Amino acid sequence: MKYFLGSSPKWFKLVMIFFLLVNIPISIFVPHVGAWLFIAEFIFTLAMALKCYPLQSGGLLAIEIIALGLTSPESAYHEVDQNLEVVLLLVFMVAGIYFMKPLLMYIFSKIFTKIKSKIGLSLLFVFLSAILSAFLDALTVTAVLISVAVGFYGVYQKINTSEESHDAIDKKELTGETLEQFRSFLRSLIMHGVVGTALGGVCTLVGEPQNLLIGERLGWDFVAFFLKMAPITLPVLFCGLLTTVLLEVTGTFGFGAKLPSIADQIIQGYTREEDAKRTSQEKYALKVQALAAILLILGLALHIAPVGFIGLALIVFQTAFIGITDEHQLGHAFEEALPFTGLLVVFFVVVAMIHDQHLFSPIIHWALDQSPESQPGLFYLANGFLSAISDNVFVATVYIGEVQAAFKNGIIGREQFEHLAIAINAGTNLPSVATPNGQAAFLFLLTSALAPLINLSYGKMVKMALPYTIVLGGVGYLMVRVLL
């Protein structure tokens, strides 16, 4: 008991042991119920991410799922194979962003010192995240946001914990309420940013992996996809930005915290110090990183290669021209993403179980049996709910496959096929912000090194995402019902 799951609370260890024991008889005698139980337990391990990293607790559940025959290693491997591009993205792109940290800190420290309005900063984070996610990738944008927030938190804590005295800074002011306010400030900006990735990701063919899948099935190119989705996505984007302003003005749902004046002082001081002591070698490195950033944007926007390959090219380009050739220096870049990559593979075991046990099939068949006018709205709601508890890429894959089969079999016409495809895309992208497991970017943030630093738990993420879930999900549903 002492060593099982390490320093996790004893109650959590006992709950996990209970789960592992009770799953055996239920899964043997009632596999369908056992599968739903495993989903609930896996979501519980994600919710407890700050008590125990979900790779261990969720991984034990995944091993048991395969051992009990609810899915097979082959099915799990198939899910990984289907999502290999996401796995490569995490391994290489996040490491590529690691080498760009000095440039990111330089840019964002300038932004933080120039823009004093919290509402202005929040809107900038949402809008930039939306634009970048529409053309690049939500996980890449989230990796940038995490790097920036970790960087600023590190600057703050470096002064807080150092034994040196700093002019005009009373270190007693850096703890207690001021530290909590600074954490709350960073939490709100990061949450605005990751919601922005969902707002932008729904708009374009390349915004999310499932968009590309849906576009391919319908034969839509980049422009056609954008135009088909625009009547729904653009009103949602506008309402999302309006929600950002209202949350910051009212200070509700964990938003509204402003940058403490002493933290602002520290960031301004850090910016001046860094500018003053920057060597010619560091200035050269910034230029290389800036060129790498331009090449990254061009490479992703033009889709010259899978995202993971572009990330690997980014690593090679930056390290080769900056002169980082030591293996141990390179190793640090991969530390952030690899635990999450392992967790994602564990997650695919759960997804494989959902597929093999046909857990979503009854909902799909029921929706297809309804009247054509009500089908888009029902598909939107079903996709939103299932994406929030499982994985939006998987849900979209299952639903678009069933709808395409219905179209080929003459059950629905081409126009209805397009309407349902639009509803599926909107449903898997918008209401799925309700939980961290609904969006890969949210899950990445929850399990990142940043989450414990700013006290961002599963519960806080759900609470902070709730107003966005209501607005994005509600407006999306309204537009689907009215337009389709």
Side-chain angles (χ1 to χ4, degrees):
M1 184 58 72
K2 179 182 177 183
Y3 297 114
F4 176 66
L5 296 181
S7 58
S8 306
K10 189 175 180 180
W11 67 264
F12 179 78
K13 298 180 182 187
L14 292 171
V15 167
M16 286 306 303
I17 291 170
F18 173 74
F19 284 166
L20 293 169
L21 291 174
V22 79
N23 287 336
I24 297 170
I26 295 175
S27 298
I28 290 172
F29 295 109
V30 208
H32 207 70
V33 175
W36 280 109
L37 191 61
F38 269 112
I39 292 174
E41 290 167 358
F42 186 73
I43 292 171
F44 171 78
T45 65
L46 296 178
M48 294 293 112
L50 297 185
K51 303 291 184 186
C52 173
Y53 191 73
L55 178 60
Q56 286 72 39
S57 50
L60 288 172
L61 293 173
I63 291 169
E64 191 174 38
I65 286 170
I66 292 175
L68 290 170
L70 295 177
T71 189
S72 65
E74 292 74 23
S75 293
Y77 180 78
H78 177 69
E79 292 299 331
V80 174
D81 188 34
Q82 292 284 95
N83 292 276
L84 183 60
E85 193 169 337
V86 178
V87 174
L88 290 176
L89 182 155
L90 281 167
V91 173
F92 295 124
M93 184 60 79
V94 176
I97 297 298
Y98 174 89
F99 292 108
M100 217 179 277
K101 274 185 181 178
L103 176 69
L104 296 172
M105 287 297 292
Y106 175 80
I107 293 170
F108 278 89
S109 59
K110 297 294 183 187
I111 290 172
F112 270 60
T113 52
K114 301 296 182 189
I115 301 177
K116 298 300 181 185
S117 164
K118 176 66 187 303
I119 294 173
L121 261 181
S122 300
L123 280 173
L124 183 69
F125 265 64
V126 175
F127 190 71
L128 278 181
S129 297
I131 294 296
L132 290 172
S133 294
F135 292 96
L136 308 181
D137 176 82
L139 283 170
T140 306
V141 176
T142 305
V144 171
L145 295 174
I146 290 169
S147 293
V148 170
V150 168
F152 282 124
Y153 188 85
V155 170
Y156 185 94
Q157 283 294 72
K158 186 177 179 181
I159 292 178
N160 187 18
T161 55
S162 72
E163 295 180 2
E164 301 173 20
S165 59
H166 294 264
D167 296 338
I169 294 177
D170 182 1
K171 287 206 285 186
K172 290 179 182 177
E173 291 183 41
L174 295 177
T175 55
E177 287 185 16
T178 307
L179 178 58
E180 285 308 310
Q181 186 182 341
F182 182 55
R183 283 171 170 161
S184 182
F185 170 80
L186 289 177
R187 262 201 314 271
S188 59
L189 280 184
I190 288 295
M191 283 301 294
H192 285 315
V194 290
V195 168
T197 64
L199 283 168
V202 69
C203 294
T204 64
L205 186 67
V206 297
E208 290 281 350
Q210 70 266 29
N211 300 18
L212 194 59
L213 175 74
I214 292 168
E216 284 174 356
R217 299 287 179 97
L218 273 295
W220 293 338
D221 60 15
F222 188 93
V223 175
F225 187 96
F226 175 78
L227 293 175
K228 292 284 185 183
M229 292 303 304
I232 293 167
T233 55
L234 294 185
V236 169
L237 176 62
F238 174 77
C239 292
L241 292 170
L242 189 61
T243 305
T244 302
V245 175
L246 290 173
L247 287 171
E248 286 301 324
V249 170
T250 58
T252 51
F253 293 95
F255 293 96
K258 292 180 170 56
L259 181 65
S261 57
I262 195 164
D264 184 37
Q265 192 179 336
I266 288 170
I267 291 171
Q268 292 206 39
Y270 163 81
T271 305
R272 286 194 299 270
E273 283 178 28
E274 288 297 304
D275 289 345
K277 71 179 185 182
R278 190 170 286 114
T279 64
S280 57
Q281 182 183 358
E282 288 170 334
K283 289 176 181 176
Y284 164 73
L286 284 179
K287 290 175 184 175
V288 171
Q289 290 157 19
L291 180 57
I294 294 168
L295 293 174
L296 169 65
I297 292 169
L298 288 174
L300 289 169
L302 299 174
H303 303 284
I304 60 172
V307 180
F309 282 15
I310 294 173
L312 181 57
L314 192 66
I315 295 170
V316 173
F317 179 82
Q318 289 181 103
T319 54
F321 284 96
I322 293 173
I324 301 172
T325 55
D326 184 80
E327 184 182 356
H328 297 291
Q329 281 182 288
L330 291 169
H332 292 300
F334 294 89
E335 289 174 1
E336 174 69 24
L338 282 182
F340 181 72
T341 308
L343 175 61
L344 197 65
V345 174
V346 165
F347 184 59
F348 289 142
V349 175
V350 179
V351 171
M353 176 193 69
I354 292 171
H355 185 266
D356 286 355
Q357 295 300 317
H358 308 290
L359 298 185
F360 295 166
S361 297
I363 304 170
I364 298 171
H365 295 142
W366 173 79
L368 281 173
D369 287 339
Q370 306 309 306
S371 64
E373 304 81 37
S374 62
Q375 281 179 7
L378 291 172
F379 268 74
Y380 176 88
L381 293 174
N383 277 259
F385 170 73
L386 294 174
S387 294
I389 64 170
S390 61
D391 168 55
N392 53 5
V393 179
F394 167 73
V395 172
T397 304
V398 172
Y399 269 73
I400 197 66
E402 292 285 344
V403 171
Q404 187 179 31
F407 170 65
K408 286 181 176 178
N409 293 330
I411 299 170
I412 58 174
R414 173 69 191 188
E415 186 182 11
Q416 185 70 354
F417 183 27
E418 290 194 1
H419 287 174
L420 293 181
I422 293 168
I424 291 167
N425 188 66
T428 53
N429 277 295
L430 298 174
S432 57
V433 302
T435 65
N437 36 298
Q439 293 258 352
F442 280 54
L443 189 58
F444 184 36
L445 173 60
L446 177 67
T447 57
S448 70
L450 176 65
L453 298 181
I454 59 175
N455 293 335
L456 185 60
S457 63
Y458 190 101
K460 278 183 182 170
M461 284 189 78
V462 171
K463 176 189 171 184
M464 295 179 81
L466 180 61
Y468 280 114
T469 306
I470 294 168
V471 173
L472 271 58
V475 174
Y477 177 71
L478 187 66
M479 300 311 293
V480 165
R481 288 287 291 166
V482 169
L483 297 174
L484 305 181

